[in-house]
Amino acid sequence: MTVPTIDDVAAAAGVSKATVSRVISGTFTHIRPETRRRVEEAIAALNYRPSAVARSLTSHRTNTVGMLVSDVANPFYGDVIHGVEDEGIAAGYNVLLANTNYDLDRGMALIRSLIDRRADGVLIMSSSGSDAWLRELAQAGMPAVVLDWAGRKSEQVSRIEVDFRPGIAEAAAHLLELGHKRFGHIAGPLTLRTSRDRRDAFLDALAEGGVARDRALVATGPLTIEGGREAWRLLREEARTPTALFCANDLMAIGALSAARSEGLRVPGDLSIIGLDDIWLAPQFDPPLTTVALPRYEIGKLAMRLLLKLLAGAAPERQVVVTSLVIRKSTGAP
Amino acid sequence: MTVPTIDDVAAAAGVSKATVSRVISGTFTHIRPETRRRVEEAIAALNYRPSAVARSLTSHRTNTVGMLVSDVANPFYGDVIHGVEDEGIAAGYNVLLANTNYDLDRGMALIRSLIDRRADGVLIMSSSGSDAWLRELAQAGMPAVVLDWAGRKSEQVSRIEVDFRPGIAEAAAHLLELGHKRFGHIAGPLTLRTSRDRRDAFLDALAEGGVARDRALVATGPLTIEGGREAWRLLREEARTPTALFCANDLMAIGALSAARSEGLRVPGDLSIIGLDDIWLAPQFDPPLTTVALPRYEIGKLAMRLLLKLLAGAAPERQVVVTSLVIRKSTGAP
DNA sequence: GGTCATTGTGAAACCGGTTTCAAATGATGC
DNA sequence: GCATCATTTGAAACCGGTTTCACAATGACC
């Protein structure tokens, strides 16, 4: 019971394979209704499905895009993949997913594999990447969309950048509006550019609201729950213990929250806390966490749309995705 | 600047394309070292990469496997995908990921798409599936591996089943050993088979330890944090409030824990809690959660291995994956 | 009734590889 | 010096589709 080919269908319908091809491709080329019927019956009878492999050979399109992520298990990517897929399916594309595991060499090997498979394009969503990847893709003539890392400018590459400033500015404004006077920030490791950016965005926004930069306390730690706990303990010892806290991500916010609570503080009564990311846990937490949300699903959709535009022959572009504040129950008046 | 083909290489090296093919395929067929060198130089000079599409056409293998999941954003799948990928990469396979979104029709469409693309096989890891999927795959002669849902028996299909009993039995034994006398269970919706299985496994294990089935309190709710909170409030009102609690998943355990704590109970001092799943949050929580762990990464690896065996011509098989207890800090003596 | 445009279909070339088959070359044995 | 055999290579067929080109049949028009 071997898989039927177009020749089998042609033989069964008593026509040439060219005719069968015309019927299935649906392009309008005057086919007698009677002939069309015979072909369609043969297709149904044999349960024939044209081979995308053979089609790709002549069409030079595989309707497949590669997607590189650092680590699928990272919850950030779940929603992004969702967006990519929904947008891709609608356009008839499939997604070849590949994990770099934060390893540049593995990433390069995956890129090569995508080139060999003649993917139509690549979405590079890994947290880091190398210019060598882009060079390899450029040589193969494969368009790409990269998320947020600053590689060298390159043809056929569109970029998505995430701007945290608007959301963080909203966060600061929200806290000021509630009447807070003593602010703290729990930052990630300051060796990371994103950690510095987030800190600066917060301090700048406060400054705009009339709070001098050196009036806000800053502690740092790893971007984990435990990191948030430890950082809070550092802030706690300062003279002007903050009543309002902005954390570099939701995990640290949760850590700080649980540490503060175990010291008897009430949230939001004694301490208001804002996170960043809007992970699935944020709305379920007690109290539901006010946070600066990243539109992950939309980033995925946008990335796929940008790639489709490149595939349609459009010029590369740069798009900025903005963040925004989601107000829940972890913030209130001091 | 078009992508070079094997003919370009042949012309550049001054040999026939058959010779080039022999050099790149590496199969031993007596090639003069001098000739080989010339071909390799031409390949390097042109940066030639053979098209996997063209190769697939003759070889009838795409070195691609499809993977159906209900929802990539569900943290369960992250680790599974990881396992599939690691095992797949090692064997030279790529993974076409597809989300069913819990929709059987969408799943069917995805299966058809995989058939059209001539994937070598399919991993069906979605929480549910239909026999029609398997029928379609069988007709196309595509082997499959399914995870844990009981479809009709079918040729060319291997199965992985997850057995929660060992881990749950360990959990019950652990609580008994700590000296607990009053037990509670927070179950998921009892319309789900898995919810009933987990409850029964727990009650059976307690019975084996000498605790009558009707001595343990059972409450149910949705499998969320909030569901856990609500279920705990129900148990709280019972006369013999439990000192030891086993929850159907980690989220409910976290919910129950936070509800109990907000009532002034200490965990594990006043109440011991065990979850199930071992989500990433479990070890980071305060206190780190004792839980029945599912070997997600191993499930992924196993699934891919089973598929590779099928592809190598082996007979379908059934493998059972067992769970085990991970003891952390949310359990202690009453 | 002949010319011409339109419709409907098949033969053959093509996409980029692999594989079969045959032929050319060189080495070996007697 | 010639038959024999192994090594090395190329021509051509093939994989399963799409597309071009040619041709036959039909209908419109004068």
Side-chain angles (χ1 to χ4, degrees), chain A residues 224-271:
Chain A
T224 60
I225 294 184
E226 189 52 35
R229 280 195 200 102
E230 283 165 18
W232 170 251
R233 286 184 205 115
L234 293 174
L235 287 186
R236 190 69 175 118
E237 288 171 8
E238 300 279 344
R240 286 172 45 91
T241 305
T243 62
L245 199 56
F246 167 61
C247 303
N249 74 3
D250 286 346
L251 291 182
M252 296 189 96
I254 287 168
L257 204 155
S258 82
R261 186 179 276 165
S262 72
E263 289 166 5
L265 272 62
R266 279 164 321 162
V267 176
D270 301 316
L271 178 66

Side-chain angles (χ1 to χ4, degrees), chain B residues 20-40:
Chain B
V20 177
S21 173
R22 284 190 268 257
V23 170
I24 57 188
S25 73
T27 59
F28 175 68
T29 43
H30 319 288
I31 292 171
R32 204 147 43 99
E34 157 68 9
T35 309
R36 177 187 300 277
R37 195 185 51 70
R38 285 226 311 283
V39 171
E40 278 165 353

Side-chain angles (χ1 to χ4, degrees), chain B residues 15-16 18-19 22 30-32 35 57-58 60:
Chain B
V15 298
S16 74
T19 301
R22 284 190 268 257
H30 319 288
I31 292 171
R32 204 147 43 99
T35 309
L57 194 58
T58 43
H60 296 285

Side-chain angles (χ1 to χ4, degrees), chain B:
Chain B
M1 192 220 62
T2 159
V3 181
T5 73
I6 197 170
D7 289 302
D8 300 328
V9 176
V15 298
S16 74
K17 58 190 226 173
T19 301
V20 177
S21 173
R22 284 190 268 257
V23 170
I24 57 188
S25 73
T27 59
F28 175 68
T29 43
H30 319 288
I31 292 171
R32 204 147 43 99
E34 157 68 9
T35 309
R36 177 187 300 277
R37 195 185 51 70
R38 285 226 311 283
V39 171
E40 278 165 353
E41 278 175 14
I43 288 176
L46 296 172
N47 205 325
Y48 166 73
R49 313 226 88 220
S51 156
V53 175
R55 283 182 146 172
S56 295
L57 194 58
T58 43
S59 69
H60 296 285
R61 322 196 72 240
T62 52
N63 288 308
T64 301
V65 304
M67 177 170 182
L68 255 62
V69 303
S70 308
D71 172 14
V72 254
N74 179 330
F76 168 78
Y77 288 114
D79 292 322
V80 178
I81 296 173
H82 239 299
V84 168
E85 246 228 322
D86 285 354
E87 197 75 21
I89 292 249
Y93 280 79
N94 283 51
V95 179
L96 267 176
L97 187 74
N99 257 303
T100 65
N101 279 350
Y102 304 95
D103 175 346
L104 291 184
D105 291 337
R106 173 155 164 158
M108 186 58 142
L110 293 170
I111 297 249
R112 292 236 170 82
S113 164
L114 291 172
I115 292 175
D116 291 350
R117 291 189 140 70
R118 302 296 191 260
D120 292 334
V122 181
L123 302 170
I124 300 180
M125 318 292 266
S126 56
S127 57
S128 63
S130 95
D131 282 345
W133 295 4
L134 295 186
R135 239 175 286 129
E136 197 80 3
L137 288 172
Q139 271 204 334
M142 273 172 62
V145 174
V146 305
L147 174 64
D148 214 25
W149 61 268
R152 58 162 207 173
K153 222 173 284 169
S154 169
E155 288 172 50
Q156 291 276 76
V157 175
S158 288
R159 293 175 187 286
I160 297 178
E161 267 162 43
V162 180
D163 187 359
F164 288 100
R165 294 202 154 247
I168 294 176
E170 276 184 67
H174 174 58
L175 294 173
L176 285 164
E177 201 173 310
L178 287 169
H180 288 274
K181 305 283 183 212
R182 305 209 304 268
F183 300 92
H185 172 52
I186 292 185
L190 292 179
T191 47
L192 296 177
R193 183 174 59 89
T194 53
S195 296
R196 297 193 300 273
D197 286 351
R198 291 173 194 186
R199 177 199 57 191
D200 294 344
F202 185 60
L203 297 181
D204 289 353
L206 285 180
E208 220 161 275
V211 178
R213 281 183 72 100
D214 53 7
R215 292 282 301 286
L217 300 171
V218 176
T220 72
L223 289 156
T224 60
I225 294 185
E226 188 51 36
R229 279 195 200 103
E230 282 165 18
W232 170 252
R233 285 185 205 115
L234 293 174
L235 288 184
R236 190 67 175 123
E237 288 172 7
E238 299 278 344
R240 285 172 45 89
T241 306
T243 62
L245 199 55
F246 167 61
C247 303
N249 74 4
D250 286 346
L251 291 181
M252 296 190 94
I254 286 168
L257 203 155
S258 82
R261 187 180 275 165
S262 72
E263 290 167 3
L265 271 64
R266 279 164 322 161
V267 177
D270 301 317
L271 177 65
S272 285
I273 296 186
I274 298 181
L276 183 149
D277 267 352
D278 198 17
I279 61 178
W280 60 269
L281 187 59
Q284 293 208 43
F285 207 73
D286 176 30
L289 204 63
T290 296
T291 189
V292 174
L294 208 55
R296 291 182 293 270
Y297 178 75
E298 280 69 27
I299 288 174
K301 292 194 82 152
L302 176 60
M304 190 68 195
R305 272 205 304 277
L306 287 179
L307 186 55
L308 290 174
K309 280 170 84 173
L310 286 175
L311 290 174
E317 53 190 301
R318 204 176 66 93
Q319 287 254 357
V320 177
V321 169
V322 299
T323 51
S324 61
L325 185 69
V326 177
I327 298 176
R328 297 207 180 92
K329 307 282 185 194
S330 65
T331 46

